[in-house]
Amino acid sequence: MKLLRLLRVQELTYNQKEKRLASAIKNIVGSKPLNLSLYTLAFRHVSVSKEIKSGVKISNERLEYLGDAVLGTVVAEYLFQKFPYRDEGFLTETRSRIVNRESLNQVGQKIGLPKIVESEMDGRVPNSFKSLYGDTLEALIGAIYLDRGYYFCKKFINKRLINPFFDLDNIIATTTNFKSKIIEWSQKDNKEIDFELKSLDNNQRFKEFTVCLNIDGSSFSEGKGPTKKKAEQEAARIACEKLQITF
Amino acid sequence: MKLLRLLRVQELTYNQKEKRLASAIKNIVGSKPLNLSLYTLAFRHVSVSKEIKSGVKISNERLEYLGDAVLGTVVAEYLFQKFPYRDEGFLTETRSRIVNRESLNQVGQKIGLPKIVESEMDGRVPNSFKSLYGDTLEALIGAIYLDRGYYFCKKFINKRLINPFFDLDNIIATTTNFKSKIIEWSQKDNKEIDFELKSLDNNQRFKEFTVCLNIDGSSFSEGKGPTKKKAEQEAARIACEKLQITF
């Protein structure tokens, strides 16, 4: 089976629509699909899915779930390697700014998914599904992972998605710093805030800092962490949440 | 460098402590480390980390961030393959029940991390860090991924973590069904609840159901989804959250 796929024997049996899909995939991914049915599935939105037995529908949602995980890992490693001196808080936050509905949706559109989606859905593309292309992009990543394996998929994500489409410098410049957000807020609203170190649990050299954020002299939120800086960030994060400060 | 690692030349330079660590890793992982320094790092808790320059500490937290992502992907695929007829909601939920602090902590203890942690921390193991072994397990997965690559790491997770330590049948039996939870709650609290289909957006064959959950006749929460069942689950989930129903 695998040999037949590698020899691309199935290509001989493609109909017109399948030929179109295979060549569109080649444009996006850089090489022809081995198992085209995975890609057909990746473009099958739940709203046009077929019911194969009672309650079981075949749609791209399962591939989307898988692709979401693979994308998360590849981006995690990308940032891990690129920023050897940044802590995991920074990495996690930067990742969530890369992998989110809106940015994936934009990238999905830029690499040309709308045309394929339209063709695969026979023109019935809905306007109401805002994250359609982001979801489809994740499903496509799931299909590539199953079709070509982890390392091929990783290369696809790094070379054809992250490098050309994500402006990392810009993303990093705006990565949320809760402490600075709350300070900004206090200046605008003319409030007095300060971070007060409440306690330091120094048990057996394991430090836990507890920091209290006071607003106009009275305690407003509390954060804990292994460093003073992290405890302050945590206290500020909770305060931002309580105050419903948006970013 | 890679050749030297494959030939395990570095083993000749191990001191006593490193020899102990290498053999402990071999017991857990099934083969000796190629790059031992990754594993040393995996066991360096932030509280015993060294500051290499101002503000930059070397600890296992970055590896933990990476390992968490890799573990998520491997478990995602494991469930994807094992349950070909279950939808992504089920898969996501089951995954989060496998990959959570508490269960990872238990598995970390079962595979023998406490002994290594103790040795690597020269006996200064804290009692206060509840998720110490779960965090260390994730960092170890990150180290294995960097040291041996994705497929080796995947095999380790499937064969040595999921299969022996996770009782999937039991996890699945208790996977949260929000609708049944809210029905249970209503019966206990003697409330009248019903799910009411508010609207069905059937634009160009793309369906979006909106379901309202009424409690004692008045609207309490609303859910949307591509099927009626999903919209109901979503409405029930929001209601559970509002009512602070715990599981």
Side-chain angles (χ1 to χ4, degrees):
Chain A
M1 195 63 188
K2 205 172 176 187
L3 183 67
L4 287 178
R5 278 192 190 136
L6 286 169
L7 289 169
R8 299 203 158 85
V9 173
Q10 63 163 358
E11 278 183 34
L12 301 171
T13 67
Y14 286 170
N15 62 29
Q16 276 306 315
K17 197 176 166 183
E18 286 170 336
K19 272 184 197 158
R20 246 194 345 257
L21 178 61
S23 107
I25 296 298
K26 193 188 168 210
N27 278 338
I28 291 175
V29 177
S31 95
K32 285 185 189 169
L34 299 183
N35 181 356
L36 190 69
S37 63
L38 287 167
Y39 299 86
T40 311
L41 182 58
F43 288 95
R44 186 169 296 159
H45 190 265
V46 64
S47 60
V48 292
S49 66
K50 290 177 194 153
E51 195 153 329
I52 54 160
K53 56 179 190 175
S54 79
V56 179
K57 277 190 167 188
I58 292 293
S59 80
N60 67 0
E61 288 191 324
R62 284 166 45 86
L63 282 177
E64 188 190 324
Y65 145 90
L66 188 60
D68 172 75
V70 174
L71 178 64
T73 296
V74 172
V75 174
E77 187 185 3
Y78 179 92
L79 296 173
F80 182 93
Q81 305 286 8
K82 194 173 173 80
F83 301 105
Y85 295 111
R86 302 301 300 258
D87 69 13
E88 82 299 344
F90 169 85
L91 300 174
T92 303
E93 216 164 290
T94 307
R95 182 172 67 153
S96 75
R97 292 172 73 91
I98 293 178
V99 187
N100 65 59
R101 291 287 118 187
E102 201 186 321
S103 65
L104 292 183
N105 217 25
Q106 283 172 12
V107 174
Q109 283 173 299
K110 283 180 190 159
I111 64 171
L113 297 187
K115 222 174 150 181
I116 309 177
V117 168
E118 197 177 336
S119 155
E120 287 296 305
M121 289 185 171
D122 300 324
R124 301 188 304 266
V125 182
N127 298 317
S128 54
F129 283 83
K130 279 189 187 159
S131 61
L132 177 65
Y133 302 114
D135 295 348
T136 306
L137 178 58
E138 287 184 334
L140 176 63
I141 291 168
I144 295 170
Y145 172 78
L146 290 177
D147 189 31
R148 309 298 295 262
Y150 180 74
Y151 290 102
F152 184 98
C153 191
K154 176 174 154 180
K155 209 167 131 190
F156 165 72
I157 294 169
N158 287 337
K159 296 257 162 89
R160 294 185 175 246
L161 300 181
I162 302 181
N163 282 341
F165 295 116
F166 289 101
D167 180 358
L168 266 187
D169 293 334
N170 185 34
I171 288 172
I172 285 150
T174 55
T175 289
T176 318
N177 178 337
F178 293 106
K179 196 176 164 186
S180 70
K181 282 286 160 194
I182 197 85
I183 291 170
E184 213 174 87
W185 168 86
S186 72
Q187 286 164 348
K188 229 194 305 184
D189 274 33
N190 222 354
K191 305 269 187 194
E192 192 83 50
I193 66 162
D194 68 279
F195 291 89
E196 186 188 342
L197 182 61
K198 295 292 267 191
S199 66
L200 167 54
D201 189 355
N202 213 344
N203 185 22
Q204 290 177 304
R205 296 183 57 190
F206 283 80
K207 293 181 181 170
E208 185 171 69
F209 292 82
T210 305
V211 164
C212 178
L213 167 60
N214 298 318
I215 299 183
D216 285 342
S218 58
S219 155
F220 188 75
S221 64
E222 205 180 88
K224 287 173 190 291
T227 64
K228 195 169 153 228
K229 201 175 142 197
K230 282 188 184 175
E232 286 179 351
Q233 273 293 334
E234 181 61 11
R237 191 187 62 74
I238 294 166
C240 286
E241 226 175 75
K242 277 190 180 178
L243 295 165
Q244 301 189 302
I245 295 173
T246 51
F247 303 106
Chain B
M1 194 66 188
K2 205 172 176 188
L3 183 69
L4 286 177
R5 276 188 192 140
L6 285 169
L7 288 170
R8 299 204 159 85
V9 173
Q10 64 162 356
E11 277 183 34
L12 300 170
T13 67
Y14 286 170
N15 61 29
Q16 277 305 317
K17 197 175 165 184
E18 286 170 337
K19 273 185 194 155
R20 242 190 352 252
L21 178 61
S23 108
I25 296 298
K26 192 187 169 212
N27 279 338
I28 291 175
V29 176
S31 93
K32 286 184 189 170
L34 299 183
N35 181 356
L36 190 69
S37 64
L38 287 167
Y39 299 87
T40 311
L41 183 59
F43 286 97
R44 186 169 296 159
H45 190 264
V46 63
S47 60
V48 292
S49 67
K50 290 177 196 153
E51 195 153 330
I52 54 159
K53 55 178 190 177
S54 80
V56 178
K57 277 188 168 191
I58 292 292
S59 79
N60 67 1
E61 288 189 325
R62 283 166 45 87
L63 282 176
E64 188 191 324
Y65 145 90
L66 188 61
D68 172 74
V70 174
L71 178 65
T73 297
V74 172
V75 175
E77 187 186 2
Y78 179 92
L79 296 173
F80 182 94
Q81 305 285 9
K82 194 173 171 80
F83 300 104
Y85 295 113
R86 301 302 299 258
D87 70 13
E88 82 298 343
F90 169 85
L91 300 174
T92 303
E93 214 163 292
T94 307
R95 182 172 68 152
S96 75
R97 293 173 73 93
I98 293 178
V99 186
N100 66 58
R101 290 286 118 186
E102 201 185 323
S103 66
L104 292 182
N105 217 25
Q106 282 172 13
V107 173
Q109 284 173 298
K110 282 180 192 158
I111 64 171
L113 297 187
K115 223 175 150 180
I116 309 178
V117 168
E118 196 177 338
S119 154
E120 287 295 307
M121 289 185 171
D122 300 324
R124 302 188 304 266
V125 181
N127 298 317
S128 55
F129 282 83
K130 277 190 186 158
S131 61
L132 177 64
Y133 302 114
D135 294 347
T136 306
L137 178 57
E138 286 184 334
L140 176 63
I141 290 168
I144 295 170
Y145 172 76
L146 291 177
D147 189 31
R148 309 299 294 264
Y150 180 74
Y151 290 102
F152 184 99
C153 191
K154 177 175 154 179
K155 209 169 133 189
F156 165 72
I157 294 168
N158 287 337
K159 296 256 162 89
R160 292 184 177 247
L161 300 181
I162 302 180
N163 282 341
F165 295 117
F166 288 100
D167 181 356
L168 266 188
D169 293 334
N170 185 35
I171 288 171
I172 286 151
T174 55
T175 288
T176 319
N177 178 337
F178 293 104
K179 196 175 164 185
S180 69
K181 282 287 159 193
I182 197 84
I183 291 171
E184 213 174 87
W185 168 86
S186 72
Q187 286 164 348
K188 229 194 302 182
D189 274 33
N190 223 354
K191 306 270 187 194
E192 192 81 51
I193 66 162
D194 69 280
F195 290 89
E196 186 188 340
L197 182 61
K198 294 292 266 192
S199 67
L200 166 54
D201 189 356
N202 214 344
N203 185 22
Q204 289 177 303
R205 295 185 59 189
F206 284 80
K207 293 182 183 170
E208 185 173 70
F209 291 83
T210 305
V211 165
C212 179
L213 167 58
N214 299 317
I215 299 183
D216 284 343
S218 58
S219 154
F220 188 74
S221 65
E222 206 180 87
K224 287 174 191 292
T227 64
K228 196 171 153 226
K229 202 175 143 197
K230 282 188 186 175
E232 287 178 352
Q233 273 293 332
E234 182 60 12
R237 190 189 63 74
I238 293 167
C240 286
E241 226 175 76
K242 277 190 178 178
L243 296 164
Q244 302 189 302
I245 295 173
T246 52
F247 302 105

